[in-house]
């Protein structure tokens, strides 16, 4: 707990970096993004897919 307090007090404007996947440069480079976005993309692909 004390670590978090110290970090908040001594970081820029007392904020933490975003922990969201879409804000991570390393994840973007690997083509990894939020599971919500991945789910939305897969659902869109299924809607556009033509089955014979």
């Amino acid at each position: 707990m004390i670590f978090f307090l110290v970090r908040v007090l001594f970081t820029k404007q007392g904020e933490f970096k975003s922990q969201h996947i879409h804000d991570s440069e390393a994840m973007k480079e690997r083509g990894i993004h939020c599971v919500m976005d991945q789910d939305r993309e897969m659902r869109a692909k299924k809607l556009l897919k033509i089955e014979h």
Side-chain angles (χ1 to χ4, degrees):
M1 264 330 231
I2 293 174
F3 170 73
F4 292 115
L5 175 63
V6 170
R7 186 168 178 185
V8 169
L9 291 175
F10 292 107
T11 57
K12 194 174 16 172
Q13 298 175 358
E15 296 177 359
F16 291 102
K17 291 182 181 179
S18 173
Q19 299 298 312
H20 294 192
I21 299 246
H22 67 268
D23 293 333
S24 170
E25 289 299 321
M27 293 294 185
K28 286 180 187 177
E29 291 172 1
R30 295 181 181 133
I32 300 171
H33 46 277
C34 177
V35 71
M36 299 287 282
D37 293 337
Q38 289 177 339
D39 183 57
R40 190 177 308 115
E41 290 171 5
M42 293 305 292
R43 289 176 188 268
K45 285 180 184 178
K46 284 184 180 181
L47 290 175
L48 297 174
K49 186 176 178 180
I50 300 173
E51 295 185 22
H52 296 269

